Amino acid sequence: AFRELMRSDTTVLLVEQNFRFAASLGDHAAVMDDGRIVHTGPMSQLAADTALQTRLLGLSLASHQ
């Protein structure tokens, strides 16, 4: 359903704790900590940078493969 929405140029705000799922769909990422935005940028940058993932999320996508 999300991919179909993406093909129709519909904007979707996805609030998701599953990083792998969010990374598979998202174009842009905003990371919140304690109610504050601590990072914004392209999802591709966050998905590719394990050091950034660890700093922001406390874990990396690579550690959960």
Side-chain angles (χ1 to χ4, degrees):
F2 285 112
R3 294 201 191 285
E4 185 64 33
L5 285 171
M6 291 171 61
R7 284 191 289 274
S8 68
D9 285 334
T10 301
T11 299
V12 175
L13 173 62
L14 176 68
V15 179
E16 180 59 57
Q17 292 182 352
N18 182 322
F19 182 65
R20 185 178 302 280
F21 179 70
S24 74
L25 293 173
D27 297 319
H28 188 81
V31 178
M32 294 183 73
D33 184 23
D34 198 26
R36 301 179 76 143
I37 296 174
V38 296
H39 172 81
T40 62
M43 177 57 86
S44 58
Q45 174 193 19
L46 181 57
D49 189 337
T50 56
L52 182 59
Q53 292 168 28
T54 301
R55 183 169 57 84
L56 293 172
L57 309 173
L59 53 92
S60 70
L61 182 61
S63 67
H64 289 276
Q65 292 188 17

